[in-house]
Every structure is written in C-alpha cells, then in structure tokens.
Amino acid sequence: EYEADERVSLNGIVYKCFGTVGAPNWCGTYSPEDESGAAAAAWTVVGSCSGVIPPTKAPSGAGGNPGCPKAWVSGTAYEALDQVQVDGMIYECDEIYYGHCPYREPGTVPGDESWTKKGKCEGTLAPTTAPSVPLDAPGCPAAFSASATYEGGDSVEVGGVVYECKAWPYSAFCSLTNFEPGSDNSDLGWIKKGGCDGTIAPTSSPTKPPAELYYDTGCHHPWLASDLDTYVPGTRVSYNNYVFE
C-alpha cells in the first residue's frame, strides 16, 4: 500500500504515486508498468536512478508503543480514537466518521474514510490490569430474558452483573439474538454498570391513613362524576373506602 507522493523505482525508473495525502489511491492496485494503461491513473514518471537509498528506521507502533493493538474485527463497536491493527499496520478510528469503523475495514478504499494509518507495529501490547466490577446496587434487577423486548434505560442482570440498554438507536440491538448482555457483541446495545447481589427490595406496602381520616361509622355518599355540579365546600364523599371532604 502506497501513500500519495510516495516514490518507488522499477527497472531504474522512478515513479511517484498520484493523489492527495491521506486520501484513497490506486497505487497499491496497479504496477507502474501495467500494460493495460491503468498505471497512468496511479503513477507518474519523475526520473531515473541507480543504486539504492539507505533505508530509514522502521516506524514503531503508535504512541511509541512497540506492540500491536488488537486486530480489527467486523461488527465490533469501535469508538472514536480506538486503535486496531491489520497486517502489522496500526489504524485509528476517526473522530467524525467513527460510525463506519465497525463495518469498513482499515486499509481498504471505503475504510480510509473512517480509519487513519498511524504506523507499523510488531508483537502485542502489554495487557492492562483487569478491571474490577464494583458492587453498585444493593439488589439485582430482573434477569435478562431472550424473549423480552427492551428499550433504552432498561436494566437487566446476567451472572451477577448489571447491564443497561443504551439509548436509541443502539437500543435496537438490546432485543436481538447474538447481542445479549455479556456476549461478544454486547457493547453494541448494552452498557456494563457494575455488580449486584440478591434482589432489589420491594417498595413499601401502602399504610392505613391516620385515624382522623378513617371513619368506622360507615361510608358517606359515593363520589360520582355526574354529581360534580352539586358538591359545595364541606361536602363529604367516599371513594375506595376513603372519605374525602
């Protein structure tokens, strides 16, 4: 793969790659000596040469890290500035077009809009400390059910971990098969909120009203919508075994 303005030599002839720096081009597709004429869309002759130019130092991984980030996987929920590697090359998800990063492969023509080439890498990045899941809630919400329909803000429990369904449009994934909380595709629709234990305590049962509002001698005339015109201050009515004035 070649960048715009990059120069190569072939059989003593120096060629320069056409295009705009950072934009897609055809230089990696057509040889400078392509006999079909397609080379004219990718390369231009700039001179001749002999011998070799001393090589420059190979670039290290982005940020000076000698290891490679994880390989790009189609469908993964990538966010702006996330980094991946493809064939030993590091790419960073764009801050504007990050919505295409899960579906457009870095290093391809459509992927160049969403991914920025950062440099080469070897090996793997040293792992960070495994995150702990705090015990955030005194009880667990209802367990996730594959047959249920979930909306943004809904919380469920899977294996003692609480997940919250993301807001629209990501909430569309929350009720789909293969996007269950804790699965490989969970991040597309669910946010891990923390751990839980037991069940959420039920709300308090309603209490009997104070004695001064409770009449043991019987109920007054029941409240009726048809009698609204007859009620005056001081009128007492009963409704659901309560007396109102």
Side-chain angles (χ1 to χ4, degrees):
E1 184 172 344
Y2 298 97
E3 295 284 353
D5 294 336
E6 189 170 348
R7 300 188 181 196
V8 300
S9 66
L10 188 61
N11 296 325
I13 304 298
V14 179
Y15 299 87
K16 184 175 74 172
C17 178
F18 268 141
T20 302
V21 175
N25 60 61
W26 299 103
C27 298
T29 304
Y30 300 110
S31 165
E33 294 183 339
D34 191 298
E35 296 181 355
S36 68
W43 299 96
T44 183
V45 176
V46 295
S48 60
C49 64
S50 62
V52 294
I53 298 175
T56 58
K57 183 180 179 180
S60 62
N65 196 315
C68 293
K70 291 184 178 180
W72 179 81
V73 177
S74 177
T76 300
Y78 294 110
E79 299 179 356
L81 304 182
D82 282 351
Q83 292 190 344
V84 299
Q85 69 90 10
V86 176
D87 296 330
M89 185 68 69
I90 297 175
Y91 296 87
E92 185 173 271
C93 183
D94 189 80
E95 292 186 80
I96 298 176
Y97 300 104
Y98 61 88
H100 298 301
C101 290
Y103 311 107
R104 294 184 176 178
E105 182 177 2
T108 64
V109 173
D112 287 342
E113 181 182 57
S114 304
W115 294 95
T116 303
K117 184 187 295 184
K118 304 299 290 185
K120 294 182 180 180
C121 63
E122 293 181 357
T124 57
L125 294 175
T128 57
T129 304
S132 60
V133 180
L135 189 64
D136 292 331
C140 295
F144 173 80
S145 173
S147 61
T149 299
Y150 295 102
E151 299 178 351
D154 288 347
S155 294
V156 298
E157 174 270 335
V158 176
V161 177
V162 179
Y163 295 86
E164 181 181 291
C165 181
K166 292 183 178 180
W168 176 261
Y170 302 102
S171 58
F173 291 101
C174 295
S175 304
L176 298 180
T177 303
N178 297 326
F179 295 89
E180 297 85 352
S183 67
D184 290 340
N185 300 316
S186 174
D187 290 345
L188 285 172
W190 296 94
I191 303 171
K192 185 184 291 185
K193 302 296 289 185
C196 66
D197 186 28
T199 57
I200 296 176
T203 56
S204 301
S205 300
T207 59
K208 182 178 179 180
E212 62 269 20
L213 298 180
Y214 192 80
Y215 294 83
D216 291 322
T217 56
C219 292
H220 289 255
H221 183 76
W223 178 87
L224 296 173
S226 59
D227 293 341
L228 289 177
D229 294 337
T230 67
Y231 297 135
V232 297
T235 301
R236 292 184 177 183
V237 296
S238 64
Y239 187 78
N240 288 341
N241 294 326
Y242 292 99
V243 176
F244 298 86
E245 183 177 86

